[in-house]
Amino acid sequence: MSSEAATADATTEVPEGHDDHGHDEHGHNDHAHPSYLAHHFDTPQQQFDAAKVGMWAFLVQELLFFSGIFVAYGIFRSWYPEMFSAAAHQLDRPIGAGNTIVLLVSSLTAALAVREAQLGRKAGTSRYLLLTILCALIFLGVKSYEYNHKFQAGLLPGHFYHPHLHHLVEGSPALPENAHIFYSIYFMATGIHAIHILVGIGVLTWIWRRNERGDFSKEYYAGVDIAALYWHLVDLVWIYLFPLLYLID
Amino acid sequence: MATVATPGLGGKTEAHDPHESYLAEKGLKSWLFTLDHKRIGIMYLIGVLAAFLLGGILALLVRLELFTAGRTIMTAEQYNKVFSMHGIVMVFLFIIPAVPGALGNIFLPIQLGTKDVAFPRLNLTSFYVWVLGAVFGLYTMIHGGVDTGWTFYTPYSSKFTNTSVIPMLTAAFILGFSSILTGVNFIATVHTMRAPGMSWKRLPLFIWALYATSIIQVLATPVLAITLFLLIFERAFGLGIFDPSMGGDPVLFQHFFWFYSHPAVYIMIVPGMGVISEIICTFSRRAPFGYFFIAMSSLGLALLGFLVWGHHMFVAGMSEYSTMVFSALTFLVGIPSGVKVFNWVTTLYKGSISLKSPMLYALGFIFLFTIGGLTGLFLAMLAVDVHLHDTYFVVAHFHYVMVGGTVIAFVGGLHYWWPKFTGKMYNEGMARAAFALVFIGFNVTFLSQFVLGSRGMPRRYYDYLPEFQSLHQVSTIGSWILGLGFLVMLVMFIQSLQQGKDAPRNPWGSAALEWQTPTPIPFHNFVDQPVITRGPYDYHLATEAELDEGYAPGERPADADD
């Protein structure tokens, strides 16, 4: 409720050169602050720093969230190394590798979107944001294709695990005992990651809309910046999940 | 990220008079959609107090059932649910958000000399996420509750109990989000929103404590989130990772759970310690002895909190070597805790002590927390723990830390800051009577449980041997005294709101920044942006006007002098 209230606060100093109004239309008439600056910040720099620190703190908690899955992976892998190796063999490496490349490209386009935003190029920012969203959708499409195959082969978590031999990778021996644990971890890890991708698509779409609306400028691009930070984290988690689940024998 | 202003989001669009009180605007909407940290803090306060009332009633029911061996007022199944719900409500709904969510939200920005937290929208979101979690929790209670205890140990929680575990896990999962968002917000606020001149060396000790707490919230709570998430799927779909019959490991769940829940103990106690530091300095009228050490011991507790989770599991089947390491690390916790206690006591030495009600709570805290902390060392010792594990000794120990520590500190902070954020004084005589009842009631309730536990009474049992009956009855009578104390306090606070005298700017004569702004607090916290030229405890640098207690002659409340 206090967003509009800063007008009365004559004691808040506004640094020189930050009194421009023209970048968006949020109704701060005769405002001492630039229009994108929330009332409780003194300078755009302070606002940007707060957003950055907040996002990094949030990313740290994201890492700790995934850490539980990684620890479970490490423990069960050390308990059942042969089972993990055999079960991992059923995952489709070329498709996984392709998906990894798709995500890496999406991180690049996200970084380029930030660069375009820093330069104040609205069209370029939108283009790269859309490309990032496109890559995310491709990733999810490929992932659902993989999931579908696992469902058909009965390679499912816990109680639902019932492998059909004719669906397994050709020439592989029957899966060892407790293989359901590998697929429990596989589905939990990639499932949580996919939820993060979905959230990322939502965030990037929102940022794209705000960009189209003209919220961002050379002076104010924090939204693009921190959305990209989030996206890089989602990418980074996959960079660890892919070798751990698909590659290590 | 609260960077775009949306006109009309429950707010005025006209300018605020810088002297106008934050309480001036009326109407439900002005509260429900507020972005003002003080109002959000008050909504948190109402929420956590309601949870405390609920949890307290459940506690009284538990004690009443234990008044006699066998059935007193409820069946064994009901008893299991009631003590589980007591733990869950008190831990997740009350004690974790109590000090940071309520007192921290109101006073963190003011103590930093800024207008608001870094992300006001996130702050409001965090409150409503808490409400959502509370709704899920209450739904579960109406739906029959859970009987797993607040720890949700597998495989009982995942395979055997037929109570509503999944909705309750969802509630705890949601409440964790609220806690994380508050932590993120406070970290960003402390880093970027300090007033000009508010260097790290001038940060109030309450801020240091909240900062350390926020770090734990951000680092530990996500581990709880993933643990509960896995448990939900384990129960719903039989993942098998916590199920020994499927090659999984139930002890892994305990590791995951305590990796959060031990640091969570410090989420609960460290902000309380921050409150105590503030009260002791104000009512001793001097700077804390060893400011730097008190500040760093908060961070030390935050760090050590992550290294000792295994001491909850000494008898759960860990290797001897891990138990030794966890035991040794647990003893280290005594160092930062001892630093705090000794520094508080030394601050009192040659201080100009005033025994107003907040100070009584602070002194009570030192006494009770010391007992709680030292009995923790008994439990950290491997051989002794085998005897005491899962007995009432453990129950008494953590209630001395959680109730004797955090709740006493929270209530003390409520007394201390009440005049500032409500603008009303309260009846000091009633406050002292309530303190006496709470202090005596608490000790009667829980000292007897130390004896019960050391004689072998297991915790969570519905029935007990005849030789335990007298001590159980003492404990139950203590719980009534404790409940009466809180009732007197509630009446006193309601009376204060209705007919309390208007509070002056600085009723305690404190040098700290939050007492330099008018009472009740202006909308933007300060009339002018403050520039900090001294630390919050620099009584030798504070001017007469700053320390002025602000009562006009003859206006001083009759019962406020010592």
Side-chain angles (χ1 to χ4, degrees):
Chain A
M1 67 180 279
S2 46
S3 304
E4 272 65 46
T7 35
D9 198 338
T11 61
T12 307
E13 289 176 26
V14 178
E16 289 175 353
H18 286 285
D19 54 349
D20 46 340
H21 289 261
H23 291 285
D24 63 12
E25 311 157 332
H26 282 282
H28 290 255
N29 302 321
D30 299 327
H31 201 295
H33 285 40
S35 52
Y36 51 79
L37 184 59
H39 84 281
H40 57 296
F41 292 108
D42 290 332
T43 63
Q45 185 61 42
Q46 187 189 28
Q47 172 167 301
F48 183 72
D49 288 348
K52 270 268 169 124
V53 171
M55 196 59 198
W56 276 106
F58 185 77
L59 294 186
V60 169
Q61 81 77 33
E62 285 287 342
L63 276 186
L64 268 293
F65 182 71
F66 278 101
S67 72
I69 286 282
F70 284 112
V71 168
Y73 173 92
I75 286 170
F76 288 112
R77 186 181 176 89
S78 71
W79 281 17
Y80 309 118
E82 294 85 5
M83 178 276 276
F84 261 62
S85 172
H89 195 63
Q90 299 298 328
L91 301 182
D92 198 325
R93 284 181 185 173
I95 287 189
N99 238 356
T100 308
I101 291 167
V102 168
L103 266 198
L104 283 173
V105 169
S106 78
S107 250
L108 174 67
T109 55
L112 287 169
V114 176
R115 183 66 192 148
E116 294 289 305
Q118 285 172 334
L119 296 173
R121 295 185 197 143
K122 187 176 142 187
T125 310
S126 276
R127 186 171 63 241
Y128 283 117
L129 284 173
L130 288 175
L131 275 175
T132 312
I133 295 168
L134 180 70
C135 287
L137 290 170
I138 293 173
F139 179 89
L140 283 183
V142 173
K143 201 77 224 152
S144 54
Y145 167 80
E146 274 190 277
Y147 274 3
N148 187 37
H149 176 260
K150 297 290 165 297
F151 274 75
Q152 283 177 1
L155 300 175
L156 291 169
H159 282 311
F160 298 91
Y161 174 76
H162 57 286
H164 307 304
L165 286 175
H166 58 279
H167 274 114
L168 296 186
V169 175
E170 237 171 284
S172 65
L175 284 168
E177 214 187 346
N178 291 330
H180 57 266
I181 289 203
F182 178 86
Y183 296 104
S184 290
I185 289 174
Y186 168 81
F187 273 100
M188 290 306 288
T190 56
I192 292 170
H193 181 256
I195 291 171
H196 280 79
I197 299 258
L198 280 173
V199 171
I201 290 173
V203 170
L204 290 168
T205 309
W206 175 57
I207 292 296
W208 169 75
R209 272 209 53 211
R210 282 186 61 191
N211 184 57
E212 286 293 297
R213 205 164 62 187
D215 284 4
F216 299 120
S217 63
K218 235 188 276 193
E219 288 76 30
Y220 174 64
Y221 53 86
V224 186
D225 203 0
I226 61 173
L229 269 179
Y230 173 80
W231 191 254
H232 293 319
L233 178 97
V234 174
D235 188 18
L236 185 72
V237 169
W238 181 257
I239 303 249
Y240 283 89
L241 284 180
F242 172 62
L244 286 178
L245 293 170
Y246 289 72
L247 297 184
I248 296 180
D249 261 332
Chain B
M1 283 283 155
T3 46
V4 182
T6 309
L9 189 76
K12 294 178 167 183
T13 43
E14 73 270 29
H16 277 278
D17 171 7
H19 293 276
E20 190 187 6
S21 157
Y22 79 106
L23 297 167
E25 202 181 340
K26 302 287 178 204
L28 191 63
K29 255 179 96 178
S30 78
W31 282 89
L32 294 183
F33 298 104
T34 183
L35 295 178
D36 179 11
H37 67 97
K38 301 180 284 298
R39 289 184 163 216
I40 295 170
I42 286 186
M43 292 199 289
Y44 255 118
L45 184 62
I46 295 167
V48 297
L49 287 178
F52 184 58
L53 180 66
L54 178 64
I57 290 170
L58 292 166
L60 288 172
L61 288 174
V62 167
R63 282 314 322 165
L64 191 57
E65 169 52 41
L66 292 169
F67 195 72
T68 59
R71 183 180 168 136
T72 311
I73 53 164
M74 58 181 98
T75 65
E77 288 73 22
Q78 288 166 335
Y79 174 79
N80 286 347
K81 287 179 179 173
V82 170
F83 82 68
S84 299
M85 299 310 300
H86 163 68
I88 290 166
V89 168
M90 283 300 200
V91 168
F92 292 114
L93 281 175
F94 168 65
I95 205 164
I96 287 178
V99 179
L103 298 176
N105 241 326
I106 302 174
F107 286 102
L108 177 125
I110 303 178
Q111 288 198 328
L112 290 175
T114 182
K115 287 180 198 156
D116 210 319
V117 292
F119 313 119
R121 255 158 234 265
L122 195 68
N123 200 14
L124 186 66
T125 310
S126 151
F127 172 69
Y128 280 116
V129 171
W130 180 89
V131 170
L132 183 68
V135 167
F136 260 86
L138 292 177
Y139 161 79
T140 313
M141 281 187 73
I142 294 163
H143 206 249
V146 294
D147 61 355
T148 58
W150 79 281
T151 49
F152 304 112
Y153 270 14
T154 55
Y156 183 68
S157 62
S158 55
K159 284 181 80 174
F160 297 106
T161 177
N162 53 10
T163 52
S164 318
V165 174
I166 289 180
M168 189 49 90
L169 293 172
T170 314
F173 183 83
I174 295 170
L175 291 168
F177 262 101
S178 166
S179 181
I180 291 170
L181 296 181
T182 302
V184 166
N185 213 339
F186 283 4
I187 287 176
T189 307
V190 173
H191 272 278
T192 60
M193 305 289 285
R194 285 169 283 127
M198 179 59 85
S199 61
W200 286 91
K201 286 179 179 172
R202 285 176 178 163
L203 278 192
L205 290 167
F206 184 52
I207 302 288
W208 274 112
L210 286 175
Y211 181 69
T213 308
S214 302
I215 291 174
I216 316 174
Q217 283 175 308
V218 166
L219 292 182
T221 317
V223 179
L224 176 76
I226 189 72
T227 307
L228 299 179
F229 199 72
L230 287 172
L231 183 53
I232 289 171
F233 277 78
E234 175 87 21
R235 185 169 166 89
F237 301 112
L239 283 188
I241 57 175
F242 298 137
D243 181 355
S245 69
M246 292 175 76
D249 181 9
V251 178
L252 178 64
F253 175 81
Q254 296 187 22
H255 278 290
F256 275 174
F257 182 81
W258 289 114
F259 186 85
Y260 163 74
S261 293
H262 193 78
V265 171
Y266 299 93
I267 296 178
M268 303 173 204
I269 189 70
V270 171
M273 293 169 157
V275 173
I276 297 304
S277 301
E278 295 292 326
I279 296 178
I280 294 226
C281 292
T282 291
F283 291 92
S284 306
R285 259 194 188 236
R286 57 164 292 192
F289 179 84
Y291 166 88
F292 182 73
F293 280 87
I294 298 182
M296 289 306 121
S297 63
S298 291
L299 293 177
L301 282 173
L303 173 71
L304 285 175
F306 281 98
L307 306 177
V308 299
W309 78 89
H311 70 217
H312 295 268
M313 306 160 54
F314 284 157
V315 298
M318 279 196 300
S319 84
E320 279 175 26
Y321 300 105
S322 353
T323 57
M324 286 179 207
V325 171
F326 278 123
S327 172
L329 287 169
T330 303
F331 279 106
L332 292 183
V333 175
I335 297 173
S337 313
V339 164
K340 282 202 191 283
V341 170
F342 288 130
N343 283 15
W344 288 325
V345 172
T346 319
T347 304
L348 297 174
Y349 180 65
K350 287 192 176 173
S352 168
I353 294 175
S354 143
L355 289 175
K356 300 253 174 57
S357 46
M359 186 61 158
L360 294 178
Y361 281 100
L363 297 176
F365 175 97
I366 294 179
F367 184 77
L368 301 175
F369 174 75
T370 304
I371 296 177
L374 289 177
T375 49
L377 298 179
F378 293 36
L379 297 166
M381 204 162 331
L382 291 173
V384 180
D385 185 65
V386 173
H387 177 70
L388 294 176
H389 186 86
D390 258 355
T391 67
Y392 267 78
F393 192 91
V394 178
V395 176
H397 156 68
F398 71 71
H399 279 91
Y400 262 84
V401 179
M402 298 289 92
V403 184
T406 309
V407 175
I408 292 288
F410 170 66
V411 170
L414 203 55
H415 282 77
Y416 176 55
W417 282 308
W418 180 269
K420 181 53 79 183
F421 70 82
T422 63
K424 299 285 181 190
M425 295 306 291
Y426 48 81
N427 183 323
E428 177 71 15
M430 262 177 103
R432 289 179 186 189
F435 168 77
L437 287 170
V438 166
F439 188 79
I440 293 167
F442 174 81
N443 281 302
V444 173
T445 310
F446 292 104
L447 263 181
S448 49
Q449 296 189 5
F450 278 126
V451 185
L452 273 176
S454 61
R455 291 183 185 173
M457 171 73 209
R459 69 189 285 204
R460 292 181 172 172
Y461 275 31
Y462 173 68
D463 203 358
Y464 49 80
L465 297 171
E467 63 257 38
F468 294 131
Q469 176 139 351
S470 54
L471 281 167
H472 268 302
Q473 292 188 339
V474 170
S475 179
T476 301
I477 291 167
S479 74
W480 298 338
I481 304 174
L482 185 57
L484 181 66
F486 282 115
L487 197 65
V488 173
M489 194 189 302
L490 181 69
V491 172
M492 177 213 66
F493 278 134
I494 290 173
Q495 218 179 47
S496 158
L497 285 180
Q498 286 174 343
Q499 41 188 298
K501 290 202 172 70
D502 283 346
R505 180 183 52 85
N506 190 358
W508 318 123
S510 172
L513 181 60
E514 72 267 27
W515 298 104
Q516 308 309 324
T517 193
T519 297
I521 310 163
F523 188 81
H524 284 311
N525 295 345
F526 298 93
V527 177
D528 301 308
Q529 169 68 52
V531 176
I532 312 300
T533 53
R534 60 171 176 81
Y537 315 111
D538 290 341
Y539 283 83
H540 60 292
L541 298 177
T543 61
E544 289 272 320
E546 282 176 331
L547 297 179
D548 177 27
E549 300 191 6
Y551 295 103
E555 258 189 16
R556 192 176 163 84
D559 49 5
D561 50 348
D562 297 299

